[in-house]
Structure formats: structure tokens, C-alpha cells
Amino acid sequence: MDPEQRQDGRTVSELGEFGLIRRVTEGGSRARNTLLGPGDDAAVLSAPDNRVVATTDVLVQDVHFRLDWSSPHQVGRKAVAVNLSDIAAMGAVPTGLLVGLGCAPDASAELVDGLAAGMWEEAETVGIDLAGGDMATSPTLTISVTALGDLQGRPPVTRSGAAPGDVVACAGRLGWSAAGLAVLARGFRSPLAVVGAHRVPEPPYSAGPEAAEAGATSMIDVSDGLLADLGHIAESSGVSVDVRTDWLEVPQRLSEVASALGANPWQWVLTGGEDQALVATFPEGAVPAGWRAVGRTGEGTGVTVDGAEYEQQSGWQHWRQ
Amino acid sequence: MDPEQRQDGRTVSELGEFGLIRRVTEGGSRARNTLLGPGDDAAVLSAPDNRVVATTDVLVQDVHFRLDWSSPHQVGRKAVAVNLSDIAAMGAVPTGLLVGLGCAPDASAELVDGLAAGMWEEAETVGIDLAGGDMATSPTLTISVTALGDLQGRPPVTRSGAAPGDVVACAGRLGWSAAGLAVLARGFRSPLAVVGAHRVPEPPYSAGPEAAEAGATSMIDVSDGLLADLGHIAESSGVSVDVRTDWLEVPQRLSEVASALGANPWQWVLTGGEDQALVATFPEGAVPAGWRAVGRTGEGTGVTVDGAEYEQQSGWQHWRQ
């Protein structure tokens, strides 16, 4: 898509539903998996191993994103990234996307084009496309993305397969999006390293299938925060999880931002969401390249940090910065 | 789901996101196609023929439905029906659903339960379930449904395969939803036969795969109106379509309602949407049981009625009531 060409000052109602759908679904070239693309009653995608992984996420303006903090392009990338991250967390590779967009009739075509361009850009990083979509008039800007994926013959990696004694390991970044959110919430626009991480996460997509191939016993993507999402694994698997801060680290950049804001960077690392890192459990010795150990599973229930309950407000002084 | 049990006066925010998702996705028993249901990062569905048909539709309160005209249960059924109809229009059988729901924090749990019960009821008519979902806070009640389907080894029936000389045929009802809408718009609540048709369409799901099996050359579901949707087939296939009113009929009930409202029932039959009938083209002699011929394709472009352009406002007197 050539953004210059598309910024023609028209509104969504002037484009009409079919014009809109074309703008969103024809933003790039067709991917190999898309056997029948947009323009019919439904799309047809390949499902090589006789199963399809499917997930959907709804993003609402001023709930999940703010257009004064992020550009439409960034919002589009994030809307796709959070879905692709769910596909990766099953150990699957993505095969295609469907997009439902609700927006006001007087929204600008530029907004829709920006969203579409961002969605296409993120989709193309993993070789897929926007295979179908629907547009609706809505007073609230709403982006509903469905991602489909393929398990390549492997069983899905669920949240429920962890066993006591497994190594807990992580791929991707932790705390960066939360740091960026803290910066934006104080009215700042930099440092871009953290603000950018909040605007557009960089999920380690290929680490999901690699973990599955290496024998991961459970996996989840970190959307609510490391401890909260490990809580889902602990509960589903019937194990306890202990996160070891001496195995984790606070990146230098997060420490600097935390100092500037008078914040605790460990809180970002342990409880910050939206980086869409992957966290998984592996049998001893099976942690693959690209993953770093961050803890251990055990008998029992619940999630602890260095063997103790984590207290979000007061607990930070217990760990090194 | 036992509605009595669920109507406990709580709001959506009191239930929380996970409570909400459970209410929506655990409303019935798991279908055979759902290999891994809700509660993980993504669902896993069977895709028996190595392809998956996928479609998504977004329904917005006061744009696509009104809660003073329809119950949440009816809205839920309709939200699913419009998607399943798209699957049928490809000649496919449905395999599963994903639901994204946006609603206000102070919405009642009863509303969500009603929507969920309706979605489950419609899903169960075709033997599938709600395999996954996402819930979001939104000021605007928004229902985003994604339906997946299986082609059972057949090629998809697109909009573009019609050839000159094909028979145009229809399965399902035409004009009933438009008649019901006209009744509701005048402030009436009966006759229920037409009002009910507007609230919950009854798409002829099995007619889609049956048409594909019989050799349908193109197919679409009638969501915008018979003439408008045949226009999509005409354009995509590069044919003209002539609808024959002497092959169609106005059901007695629609004539009665039209008389009472001073309306033209042919306009409902020819241009009314939302009944989710199926219209398809077949080679001469191939129209299967359950389908009725309503016209012919020819060389050229565009859609005509009895050989002439249809004029929505003034045209009605040209055709019999």
C-alpha cells in the first residue's frame, strides 16, 4: 500500500462498506496459505495438518489503545501481534487473519488505511495475509482480529501440561511495554525504546513452534504479566511456580527509565503485560536456544518469587535493581 | 445453560473477564470438531480436508440490532446465523465458532447470558460449539463472530463461476425479514411470523453443501437483498442475471402484511435482506431438491427483473401481487 496515494481526505461513509473492505483486505500480496482471499462469502485457507488453531481478540479505542499515544499504523500492528502471539503460544505457526472493523461513518479513510497498513505489515513479518474481513458502522472504534494457525503435526502446547520439576523459561521481552505505558501516562513521549515497545510489541513468534519442537510441557503468552500468566499455568497444570530473580535481569534501559520516574523496574518485569513474551515449561535440559530459564515448577499451587509471595506494592525492595 | 440459574443480577464488571468468557464459551457441550476448547491461548478445531473456510461478521447495537426489538437470545442466534450462512454459501459445513464480545462494565450478566444462550442454540442446530472467545470493555455492545467450516473435499462455490445459460435458483425465504422490519419500524409487534423472521433468520444451512454437491457454479447468501446479491454474482462471474417474477411467488402471509401496511411485498422479496436465503447458479437440469428456480443467467452484465431494469420506487406496479 502506498500511504501517499491513499490519503485522499475521504471519510469511511464516502468509501462505503465494500470500498472499506477492499482497503483493508487488499493492502498486500496474497500469501501461500490463502487459497481463496477476500471478496466472497468466506475465505479458504490451507490447514495442512487437518487441524486449525484459532484465536480472536477484540481491541477497543480508549480501552486497549489511544490514538493520541499510538498511530493507527501502530495500533494495527499491535492488534495483529496480540493474536499471532496466541497462535505462537500453542506452538503453532500462523496461517491467516480475518479482521472485523467497527468505526464511525465520519472516520477518515486515513485512519482505516493506517490501521490496515499496520495489520498488513505485522502479518507479512510471518508470511501471512488478511484473508477476509467485515466492516461495520460503530460509534466506537473496534478492531476484532481472528488469527488461524497450523500445528505442523505436533500436539498443541496447552497451559495444563507442566509437571513438578520443570524449568520455567521465557522468550521475548518483559517489562518494556509497562515501562512505556508508565512513560506515556506521565505525559512523556520518550525514550522511544520503551514507548515503542508499548505501542508495538515484538513477540518472539518463532520461539513458540521451537519450544513445542523442543518438548515444552506448557506455554502461554505474557499478556497480563509474567506472574499473572504463570498463575494460569500453575492453576491449569496443578503445579506451583517459583520465579527466580537471580535468573532474571532488569535491562539497563528499564533501570534508567525507572530511576527517572521513581518507579520499580522489577514490578514492570514481573507484572507488566502486553510485551507478548512467551513463557513455557520444559523438562530439565530441554530448554531450547533463545529461551532463558526464569524459574522452576514444584508440587503445590500458586506462584512465588524467590520462594515468597510477591507483594506488588511493598515487595520491590526485596529484589536487586 | 439454565437461564434461571444464571440470572443473578450481577453486572459484567462483577463477573470479570474470565467469568464472562466462561459464561459465553461454556454454555453447552463440546462438539466433535472442537479438539481443544476455550481456556487456553487458542482453540484447536478439526479441519478434515486440509482446508478451512473462515468468515467473520461484526454486529453493533442500534446498527445491526435493537434490544427493544429483539431479546438478547434472538440477537445471539442472529449473530451466529449470519456467519453460518456465509459458510453454507461456500458449499461448506460449519466446524466451529469464535466470539468476540464488547460490552459496558455495567451491562447485566443477564444480557450476556441471553446472547450466549442464543449463540449456543443456533450453533447446536448444526452440531458445533463456541470454541473460543474474547471479552472486552466497550461503550458499544458489539458482537464479533468468526465461523469456520469444512468443504468435505469439494471446491469452494464462489461468486465467480456462473456461466451464461445457467439456472438461478434459491433456497430459503425471501422478503420475510424485510416485512418484519417494516412491521417493527411502524411500532407493531405482530404478526409474529414476519417479526420472528426479522429477529432470527432461518438460513437453509444444509442447502449449501447440497448445492455444491449438485454442481452449483456460483453461490451467495442473500444478506443485502436478492437483486443486490445476484449483482455480486453477475459482476464476479461476468454474466447477466434475469429474475423471473412468474417463477417467484409472494407468500400469502407477506401479501397480507403488505396490504395492512400499504407496502409492496415484491419489494421485500426482491430487495429485502437478512433472510440469509441462499441463491446459486446451476447448469440446466442440475437444480437439486429444496431449491426453486428464480431466473436465468445470460451474456452481458447486470441484473434485470423480467427482462427490465428494476426500479425500486416506481417499479412495483409492473409485477403481480
Side-chain angles (χ1 to χ4, degrees):
Chain A
M1 162 152 11
D2 175 356
E4 294 304 318
Q5 202 173 43
R6 294 298 189 86
Q7 289 170 18
D8 52 10
R10 286 192 288 176
T11 66
V12 155
S13 66
E14 285 164 340
L15 288 170
E17 182 186 356
F18 298 116
L20 256 186
I21 293 180
R22 270 196 299 274
R23 283 170 106 92
V24 172
T25 57
E26 294 181 1
S29 54
R30 283 295 139 224
R32 187 178 45 84
N33 281 302
T34 301
L35 307 175
L36 180 69
D40 223 294
D41 293 278
V44 182
L45 298 166
S46 62
D49 91 343
N50 292 108
R51 297 167 298 171
V52 62
V53 181
T55 184
T56 195
D57 267 305
V58 180
L59 280 81
V60 177
Q61 182 173 8
D62 295 332
V63 177
H64 302 93
F65 62 88
R66 287 174 53 160
L67 287 174
D68 54 339
W69 284 359
S70 300
S71 69
H73 187 277
Q74 290 163 339
V75 171
R77 286 193 64 183
K78 189 167 187 166
V80 166
V82 296
N83 278 279
L84 296 183
S85 171
D86 282 324
I87 296 293
M90 302 304 289
V93 295
T95 51
L97 296 169
L98 302 171
V99 175
L101 186 64
C103 67
D106 62 354
S108 71
E110 194 179 335
L111 167 65
V112 174
D113 286 341
L115 290 170
M119 290 191 277
W120 273 94
E121 182 170 322
E122 194 68 19
E124 288 177 343
T125 65
V126 293
I128 62 170
D129 68 12
L130 272 58
D134 185 37
M135 307 293 132
T137 296
S138 173
T140 305
L141 182 61
T142 307
I143 308 164
S144 169
V145 177
T146 298
L148 304 180
D150 181 62
L151 286 163
Q152 302 180 311
R154 293 179 299 266
V157 184
T158 67
R159 300 175 178 183
S160 60
D166 281 350
V167 178
V168 179
C170 183
R173 303 192 297 188
L174 293 171
W176 289 73
S177 180
L181 178 62
V183 165
L184 287 165
R186 303 269 185 110
F188 301 114
R189 291 291 179 275
S190 65
L192 273 179
V194 295
V195 170
H198 179 70
R199 288 172 172 152
V200 182
E202 293 179 13
Y205 298 127
S206 61
E210 285 160 14
E213 196 66 49
T217 53
S218 73
M219 185 154 47
I220 191 170
D221 74 322
V222 182
S223 49
D224 297 330
L226 179 65
L227 301 186
D229 287 312
L230 280 173
H232 296 306
I233 283 184
E235 186 181 352
S236 298
S237 297
V239 297
S240 63
V241 172
D242 186 47
V243 172
R244 299 278 300 269
T245 56
D246 54 346
W247 296 359
L248 275 164
E249 65 174 16
V250 172
Q252 179 66 22
R253 203 54 184 270
L254 292 199
S255 289
E256 291 165 11
V257 173
S259 294
L261 297 182
N264 170 12
W266 276 108
Q267 192 150 312
W268 295 336
V269 170
L270 294 171
T271 70
E274 295 200 273
D275 282 304
Q276 314 305 135
L278 294 173
V279 61
T281 54
F282 298 89
E284 181 76 46
V287 178
W291 288 74
R292 58 187 188 281
V294 300
R296 279 280 187 189
T297 59
E299 305 283 351
T301 60
V303 179
T304 51
V305 178
D306 297 334
E309 195 177 339
Y310 180 69
E311 293 169 39
Q312 189 157 325
Q313 295 311 316
S314 63
W316 71 271
Q317 66 262 28
H318 300 311
W319 299 292
R320 300 164 302 139
Q321 296 197 33
Chain B
M1 165 153 12
D2 175 357
E4 294 304 318
Q5 202 174 43
R6 293 300 189 87
Q7 288 170 18
D8 51 12
R10 285 192 286 175
T11 66
V12 155
S13 66
E14 286 163 341
L15 288 170
E17 182 187 354
F18 298 116
L20 257 186
I21 293 179
R22 270 196 298 274
R23 282 168 107 92
V24 172
T25 56
E26 294 181 3
S29 53
R30 285 294 138 221
R32 187 178 46 83
N33 282 303
T34 302
L35 307 176
L36 180 71
D40 223 294
D41 293 279
V44 182
L45 298 166
S46 62
D49 92 342
N50 292 107
R51 296 167 299 171
V52 61
V53 180
T55 183
T56 194
D57 267 306
V58 180
L59 281 81
V60 177
Q61 183 173 10
D62 295 331
V63 176
H64 302 93
F65 62 89
R66 286 173 54 159
L67 287 174
D68 54 338
W69 284 359
S70 300
S71 68
H73 187 277
Q74 290 162 339
V75 171
R77 285 193 65 183
K78 189 168 187 165
V80 166
V82 296
N83 278 279
L84 295 183
S85 170
D86 282 325
I87 297 292
M90 301 305 289
V93 295
T95 51
L97 296 169
L98 302 171
V99 175
L101 185 64
C103 68
D106 62 353
S108 71
E110 194 178 336
L111 167 65
V112 174
D113 285 340
L115 290 169
M119 290 192 276
W120 272 94
E121 181 169 323
E122 194 68 18
E124 288 176 344
T125 64
V126 293
I128 62 168
D129 67 13
L130 272 57
D134 185 39
M135 307 294 133
T137 296
S138 173
T140 305
L141 182 60
T142 307
I143 307 164
S144 169
V145 178
T146 298
L148 303 180
D150 181 63
L151 287 162
Q152 303 180 310
R154 293 180 299 268
V157 183
T158 67
R159 300 174 178 182
S160 60
D166 282 349
V167 178
V168 179
C170 183
R173 305 192 296 187
L174 293 171
W176 288 73
S177 179
L181 178 61
V183 166
L184 287 165
R186 304 269 185 112
F188 300 115
R189 291 290 179 277
S190 64
L192 272 180
V194 295
V195 170
H198 179 70
R199 288 172 172 152
V200 181
E202 294 179 13
Y205 298 127
S206 61
E210 285 161 15
E213 197 66 48
T217 53
S218 72
M219 184 155 48
I220 191 170
D221 76 322
V222 182
S223 49
D224 296 332
L226 179 64
L227 301 186
D229 288 310
L230 280 172
H232 295 307
I233 284 184
E235 187 181 352
S236 298
S237 297
V239 297
S240 64
V241 172
D242 186 46
V243 172
R244 298 278 300 268
T245 56
D246 55 345
W247 295 0
L248 275 165
E249 65 174 16
V250 171
Q252 181 65 24
R253 201 57 184 270
L254 293 199
S255 289
E256 292 164 10
V257 173
S259 293
L261 297 183
N264 170 14
W266 275 108
Q267 193 151 313
W268 295 335
V269 170
L270 294 170
T271 70
E274 296 201 273
D275 283 304
Q276 314 303 135
L278 294 173
V279 62
T281 54
F282 298 89
E284 181 78 46
V287 178
W291 289 72
R292 58 187 190 282
V294 300
R296 280 278 186 190
T297 58
E299 306 282 351
T301 60
V303 179
T304 52
V305 178
D306 296 335
E309 194 177 339
Y310 180 69
E311 294 169 38
Q312 190 158 326
Q313 295 311 314
S314 63
W316 71 271
Q317 65 262 30
H318 299 312
W319 298 292
R320 302 162 304 140
Q321 296 196 34

